Amino acid sequence: MNTREYIQEINKLSQSIQDQNYEYVIHRSDELIQLVPDRKGAYLVQAQAFIRQDKLINARNILQIGRDNCGSPELMINLAIIYSRLKDFKKAYQTFKQVDIPTDQISNPQYWFHFGRSAIKFGLINEGINHYKKVLNVKPDHKAALNNLANILHKKEERKLAEKYYLDLIKHHPEEAMAYSNLAGLYEQAGKKEKAADFFKKAIQVDPTISIAYYNLGQIYCSHYKDFESALNVYNQGLRLGDSSYYNGIRFNQILARQNLADWSYYEEDLSDLNQIINEYLESNQSLFEIVPYALSYFNIDPILYRKVAERYANKIVENTRKLHPDINYDHSLGEEDKIKIGYLSPNFRLHPGGTLVRGLFDYHDSKRFETHAFSLVHKDDFVNRDIRDSVDYYHNASSMTSVEVANLINRTGIDILVSLAGYNSDMKFDILALRPAPIQMILIGSHETTGADFVDYIFTDEFLIDDEYRQAFSENVITLPCSLLLNSELPLDEQIKTSKGDYGLPENQFVFANFNHPKKLDPATFKVWMQILQKTPDSVLWLYNAGNRKLGEKLKNEAEMHTIDPDRLIMGDPIPIKQHWERFRHADLFLDNFNYNAHVTGIEALRMGIPIVTLKGNNHNSRLCSSLLHYSGLKNLICNTKIDYITVSSQLATNAAELEEIKIKLQAADSKVLFDTELQAKYLEKAYLKALLKFRKGQPPGDIVVGTALDLKSFI
């Protein structure tokens, strides 16, 4: 068969493919291969016949035979594309690299698309990006290239470029709902919450079945607008889609939204579903949503189960970080400087519970031995931020930096020990820690349960919080302090602020129980016990914080009425400026603590203002932390082991003024104790840092550290 006849046969077979006469094409091309095995045409048309029938394995096999028989670049290109479509990205990439044609002569957009796709899947991100751009040079409206390029740039935090390609995708393909949703996700991460909400709504308008948009829009209503009613409406719409890919994620968030509203109408059902969702999440490797471990703190979750969720979440952070930045591998050799460089990483160096806790810490570090650096992920110029800026040696405003830029700065600065002051919350960037910019990495506050992360070497606790059984709930090495885990700086009160009980709607001559924790920490069991206390103390009221949600106050009043308590005995407190908030503690007589999630910073504030706390000791950090505060303030008799004890102690103090006054005097005397001694707490921290550093210098792996009360630090360096 001469060349002309062969070409005619191939053209006929191409027409037969158009006519969907695939069996004939396969049969006749086999005959041509037998006759002329060293020509590419028959292999290519047979592969096309298989591709049209979605028989990609058959297409791969015939193209491999063609490659071996005639080695045509066109065959190699088609084989590489098939490898990519079969998700054998390593072979795809290797085959693309073997194509013997100058790349500037190749204009096939499918070539560049699949070359880019396989390069990215093979871990060569920047090369893949360049290939996607070449697709768009040839075909500017290529949907998959626009989408993939925008997504990868989004993950790399190159937001301006990612935004451009998402907008181009929407321009050319306005029917593509995921483009609106992904762009909304980019705006959300950039802090442009209102814009994000608008684009999630547009995604739902384009495709009312796009479950991820309901999931994320509801989260914005919760986290940004604090509008939990609207969030519930969105979640309810998303759940009506049935068994969608984000069904469990939407249901999980619905439970959290109800918790924020103290909506206990389905509480037992919610708890049952919550545990089922967690178990399905842990069993599945394909979950499209992630459970942020911190969200579980509001429920009485088994600590070991919490650890499993945290480990899964941390592993996902590591996986994504390594995929995006495979070449980052920082030098962890210690510097030769005389001073030890301590880096504190936080989004909360501002008027925030985390900021007020550490505000006074940095003044007490030994400046002859330690150099302190604050890496601030969120910058706000307020009195807490100014105090911190004035007290650390170096303050780094990293609020506009990407995670990699922050990690580079930390490593370039030569930080010896990096201490995170925040856990898994929305403003914290744990991928910075996953990049391992410092030789030793710790978490001090913000994550009282385990992070589950192998990139966190140490977590702090105190002598009261962890027993042998609970120790296994932590993946980190544990540093045990001889003082409360919670640092607490002196409150900078404004003595000009003078208010009365009447200013807050409180009765002048009745006993005032108080709880200023966020309502999301409340649960039916705690509330029921509070109502029992009110029943035993008829001449009392309960003062609660409504977090700015007046409807929530009405909800709790209705709950009180269901417990046969006059709803007027619940007094609701609004959000007010922080120094006025501290001052209003003076009008409370006794603080009643939550069970599942104790008062943490609020507990410190109450004790600092001279208000005793009654607490129930729980089974994890979050439900034991207030017990720790009372232990270190010398008020162990206010730590209860049963609900009956809790009711008895609270009721007795409300009806025995002399006993309560004795406790308040004891609390005032505790000002000199370790709970309120920030300078002593700083010395204990320094001792912990030195012990961890000594292990590192000796080439020893991190291990549990017990910080004794002795403060002779000379032996450590």
Side-chain angles (χ1 to χ4, degrees), residues 16 84 344 363 393 395 411 465 492 566 634 699:
S16 295
S84 173
Y344 289 99
D363 282 325
D393 294 312
Y395 176 86
N411 186 259
L465 286 173
D566 181 351

Side-chain angles (χ1 to χ4, degrees), residues 64 131 462:
Q64 286 175 335
H131 293 337
D462 62 47

Side-chain angles (χ1 to χ4, degrees), residues 527-563:
F527 192 80
K528 179 180 179 180
V529 167
W530 289 352
M531 296 303 100
Q532 290 172 325
I533 292 169
L534 290 183
Q535 287 169 351
K536 286 180 173 290
T537 57
D539 198 26
S540 68
V541 296
L542 177 58
W543 192 12
L544 300 175
Y545 175 60
N546 67 15
N549 188 338
R550 299 292 177 89
K551 291 182 181 178
L552 186 143
E554 293 304 313
K555 171 76 173 60
L556 292 178
K557 285 176 177 285
N558 291 336
E559 287 285 336
E561 199 164 19
M562 291 170 62
H563 287 277

Side-chain angles (χ1 to χ4, degrees), residues 4-59:
R4 181 180 177 185
E5 292 171 337
Y6 185 84
I7 292 173
Q8 288 176 342
E9 286 289 333
I10 297 301
N11 288 337
K12 289 178 183 178
L13 292 178
S14 297
Q15 183 58 50
S16 295
I17 290 175
Q18 298 300 318
D19 297 337
Q20 301 183 15
N21 193 357
Y22 302 127
E23 291 302 319
Y24 169 73
V25 172
I26 293 167
H27 174 73
R28 180 56 181 154
S29 60
D30 274 339
E31 292 178 341
L32 292 176
I33 289 169
Q34 292 294 322
L35 288 171
V36 192
D38 59 349
R39 290 187 180 179
K40 65 183 180 182
Y43 300 103
L44 290 171
V45 292
Q46 186 172 133
Q48 280 301 312
F50 283 130
I51 290 169
R52 290 291 184 92
Q53 300 174 82
D54 285 328
K55 297 179 179 179
L56 298 184
I57 300 295
N58 302 74

Side-chain angles (χ1 to χ4, degrees), residues 140-154:
D141 63 345
H142 193 289
K143 183 193 295 187
L146 285 167
N147 180 70
N148 291 6
L149 184 54
N151 287 343
I152 196 68
L153 290 168
H154 182 177

Side-chain angles (χ1 to χ4, degrees), residues 256-272:
L256 293 182
R258 285 177 178 164
Q259 182 67 18
N260 274 275
L261 291 169
D263 180 354
W264 304 321
S265 309
Y266 308 93
Y267 194 75
E268 294 303 321
E269 179 185 341
D270 285 349
L271 286 184
S272 176

Side-chain angles (χ1 to χ4, degrees), residues 649-667:
V649 170
S650 303
S651 304
Q652 184 173 326
L653 290 175
T655 55
N656 191 328
E659 185 179 355
L660 180 61
E661 185 60 27
E662 184 179 333
I663 289 174
K664 289 187 175 183
I665 291 171
K666 190 175 182 180
L667 180 56

